[in-house]
Amino acid sequence: MAALPIRSIPLQAGDIDPAVSSLEKVKAILAPLDRAQKSKLFELVQAGHLEDDQMTVEVGRLIVAMLNGPRTEHARRIWTGWFDPVMLRTDALMLAEARPPGCMHVVDASAWWFALLPHLRELAGRVQSDVAGRASEHPLDAVLASSAAADWAEELRIRSLEVLRQRGAAGPLLATANAERATLLRKRGLAGVIPLSMADLTVLDAMLEHAPLWKGAVRPRDTIATLHTVSGMVERGGLPDGGLLYALSLINASRDPDQALALFGLLPSAPLADAAVAHVQFAWQCLRQKLESLHLGRPAPPQLTAGEAVDRLLERAFRWYDALQGFGIERGSRNWAVASAAVGRVTGLVEAEVVPVLSHRLLTLNTATSAVPLIDAVRFINGFNHRLRRRGIAASSNPWLPAIGDHLAGLFRQTGVYGRDDALTGMARLCELAEEAGYPLEVTAIDKTLLAIVEHALRDGRELDAGESRLIERVVTVATEERRKCRWWVSGELLGLLDAAQQRGIGPSSGKADAAAG
């Protein structure tokens, strides 16, 4: 915490100038301080550092008001506090087509509270009144961390479980929660979210039952700490149920297959295997919708991938797929079929829609259009297909039509003929693109235009990028071989190129080339 500028705030009532003694003036002085500094100042005021008793009361209340702000729904905050260690606050998983088990999002918790509130009205009112009274004199954070707040939380928890377990209560609670949740989701800008189900109501009951196990738990930073925390909960609870719920919440928050496998090793169980399948489905859903957005103009909700690059989504999707057998999910099983269907939707999309769209863009590429975006897109598809084949999943060996190779070869020649200043760069990009498409462009020593372009670039002295350097090396190699084969005559353009290459330290020296020719 930054040093608290106490000396800049007069604490002796007798020293305060009358012109600045009003609370508004004091408030203006306190406003620049951060929360920790205001809290420290409140402690000093409460300790009697203001000699004037009235000022002690007024300044103390002012600081409390500034610290507490407009927060008023204290009973809800105390109740939802049970879920703080297991609650999701990011929105991605809310958009999952198959909801992973053990999900409790901040919106879900609020919806359940509003559904339960009519049954908790008297208790919630008493808690609200007690907290508000204490918060008028003390920082709200301190009130919520008090033993009294712990007692209120326990009362709310026990009463909620009684309501949940009443005969006939489930249907009306679920309907009310979904109605409230729909409003909260609209405010959050989330559409198409799967409604809460009876399975989610069961999760709520189980989490309230086991919540004391993780009260105050801090999310572990690594896998070792995760295993230690979960195993401790299992030991304290006597049964794995509470630790399992906490483990599911960690998987849902991290979406990390390695952590999930480690937790499955600690608590091998069907819920963790089901969670793995759901996360496989979600990882491949994210990849599918990202590809649709990038190439087919079907916008994906921004919360789904939170700006993650398609390469990162691809990596996560295959990591989850590769982890399946570690969860005891064998090929041919129902769970394997579910996961394979998620993979199949992406492979079908790529083959039936993405590749045709990219092929059209390749066939309509012209000399005025940059090839770079297509290089990245073709490389991605090739890498995707390579990963599929390595795992025994069918994929076409080369999805790119021969006509694409012919078109790129024609563009390569046109780019050189036009004589643009950026001709070498454009030709280098076309070489990269053609190679990625499986149709490497031919480079010959009789292409005087190409020789002249390369010689100009070598003599220009500018820094060359990787693609340009590769093209130049190919041209110099071909020219050197041509010089070796032609003992009696070579063109002036070829000799000029080899001389320029020698000056830049590219290819064999001219002396060695002459010796080879002789």
Side-chain angles (χ1 to χ4, degrees):
M1 183 181 75
L4 186 67
I6 296 296
R7 294 181 180 176
S8 67
I9 302 174
L11 295 177
Q12 300 296 324
D15 296 337
I16 298 177
D17 188 278
V20 296
S21 62
S22 70
L23 288 179
E24 285 302 316
K25 293 291 185 180
V26 175
K27 184 176 181 179
I29 295 171
L30 297 179
L33 304 182
D34 62 29
R35 186 174 187 82
Q37 290 172 328
K38 290 187 181 78
S39 297
K40 181 63 177 176
L41 187 58
F42 177 77
E43 293 175 6
L44 293 173
V45 170
Q46 291 295 97
H49 285 270
L50 290 178
E51 293 180 352
D52 187 301
D53 291 342
Q54 184 61 31
M55 283 297 292
T56 295
V57 172
E58 295 299 333
V59 172
R61 286 176 175 171
L62 174 61
I63 297 174
V64 165
M66 295 177 76
L67 285 170
N68 292 349
R71 294 178 289 177
T72 58
E73 294 192 48
H74 310 311
R76 180 175 72 164
R77 179 67 190 88
I78 288 175
W79 185 83
T80 58
W82 286 113
F83 308 108
D84 281 346
V86 295
M87 197 154 50
L88 284 171
R89 288 177 170 81
T90 56
D91 294 339
L93 270 182
M94 292 289 277
L95 298 167
E97 294 167 343
R99 185 175 171 90
C103 276
M104 175 65 74
H105 190 272
V106 60
V107 168
D108 301 334
S110 295
W112 288 126
W113 166 255
F114 286 122
L116 286 166
L117 185 57
H119 306 273
L120 307 174
R121 188 75 67 186
E122 182 179 348
L123 174 57
R126 177 161 53 85
V127 170
Q128 187 74 19
S129 176
D130 287 350
V131 176
R134 292 170 184 256
S136 66
E137 301 290 339
H138 302 278
L140 184 57
D141 290 346
V143 174
L144 295 178
S146 67
S147 58
D151 293 338
W152 297 325
E154 182 63 10
E155 283 191 70
L156 287 168
R157 185 182 75 87
I158 296 301
R159 178 60 186 141
S160 297
L161 285 171
E162 291 172 355
V163 173
L164 287 171
R165 294 167 184 179
Q166 288 175 358
R167 185 185 298 274
L173 282 173
L174 185 58
T176 304
N178 272 319
E180 294 289 348
R181 186 171 180 256
T183 301
L184 296 171
L185 290 172
R186 282 194 297 271
K187 291 180 180 178
R188 209 172 176 98
L190 291 171
V193 177
I194 298 174
L196 295 170
S197 65
M198 285 296 178
D200 294 301
L201 192 66
T202 301
V203 169
L204 172 65
D205 186 296
M207 282 189 170
L208 283 170
E209 177 71 28
H210 299 288
L213 281 174
W214 55 67
K215 184 73 172 178
V218 177
R219 191 172 295 280
R221 293 187 176 183
D222 54 41
T223 301
I224 299 299
T226 296
L227 296 176
H228 178 74
T229 301
V230 172
S231 63
M233 289 181 184
V234 172
E235 290 176 8
R236 292 196 304 276
L239 292 170
D241 297 5
L244 182 59
L245 278 170
Y246 186 72
L248 288 170
S249 76
L250 294 178
I251 295 169
N252 292 334
S254 70
R255 291 156 53 197
D256 180 1
D258 293 333
Q259 184 187 80
L261 279 171
L263 287 167
F264 185 78
L266 177 69
L267 296 171
S269 60
L272 284 176
D274 291 341
V277 173
H279 278 281
V280 169
Q281 291 176 279
F282 183 61
W284 286 84
Q285 174 194 339
C286 290
L287 177 60
R288 186 185 78 244
Q289 293 191 245
K290 185 73 168 185
L291 290 172
E292 290 175 339
S293 175
L294 286 175
H295 302 299
L296 306 177
R298 301 171 192 162
Q303 301 93 333
L304 183 69
T305 60
E308 285 188 292
V310 67
D311 289 332
R312 182 178 174 86
L313 297 175
L314 178 73
E315 182 67 27
R316 182 183 294 126
F318 275 107
R319 285 179 61 211
W320 272 109
Y321 179 82
D322 292 342
L324 277 175
Q325 287 188 322
F327 290 94
I329 299 169
E330 300 295 337
R331 292 180 182 271
S333 66
R334 182 188 63 81
N335 274 337
W336 187 275
V338 170
S340 295
V343 178
R345 292 186 68 184
V346 179
T347 58
L349 175 79
V350 169
E351 292 178 359
E353 298 188 70
V354 175
V355 167
V357 165
L358 291 177
S359 295
H360 176 74
R361 290 176 60 192
L362 287 165
L363 289 169
T364 56
L365 183 68
N366 58 55
T367 56
T369 308
S370 171
V372 173
L374 283 171
I375 294 172
D376 293 337
V378 170
R379 183 177 292 139
F380 176 87
I381 297 300
N382 291 344
F384 174 70
N385 284 342
H386 176 68
R387 286 172 179 254
L388 291 177
R389 287 192 297 272
R390 281 176 48 198
R391 290 162 176 82
I393 304 173
S396 55
S397 57
N398 187 355
W400 313 111
L401 300 171
I404 292 170
D406 296 337
H407 179 65
L408 296 178
L411 282 181
F412 184 79
R413 291 190 295 270
Q414 291 177 34
T415 302
V417 169
Y418 289 155
R420 300 184 327 200
D421 291 339
D422 63 346
L424 179 67
T425 302
M427 296 173 84
R429 300 295 175 266
L430 287 169
C431 278
E432 290 183 68
L433 181 54
E435 189 167 348
E436 290 293 340
Y439 304 102
L441 298 178
E442 183 183 9
V443 172
T444 69
I446 61 173
D447 188 340
K448 294 183 179 182
T449 301
L450 177 58
L451 297 180
I453 290 172
V454 171
E455 181 183 354
H456 176 75
L458 289 171
R459 295 193 188 281
D460 185 53
R462 69 177 177 86
E463 187 175 348
L464 302 168
D465 63 36
E468 293 170 331
S469 296
R470 283 194 297 271
L471 176 56
I472 286 175
E473 288 172 2
R474 285 185 64 194
V475 174
V476 171
T477 299
V478 169
T480 301
E481 180 62 20
E482 182 69 15
R483 177 73 178 91
R484 186 187 67 79
K485 291 190 298 183
C486 296
R487 301 179 62 182
W488 309 114
W489 179 87
V490 292
S491 69
E493 291 84 1
L494 189 145
L495 290 174
L497 167 65
L498 291 176
D499 178 67
Q502 181 184 350
Q503 297 300 320
R504 290 288 291 264
I506 299 175
S509 66
S510 59
K512 290 181 179 179
D514 290 339

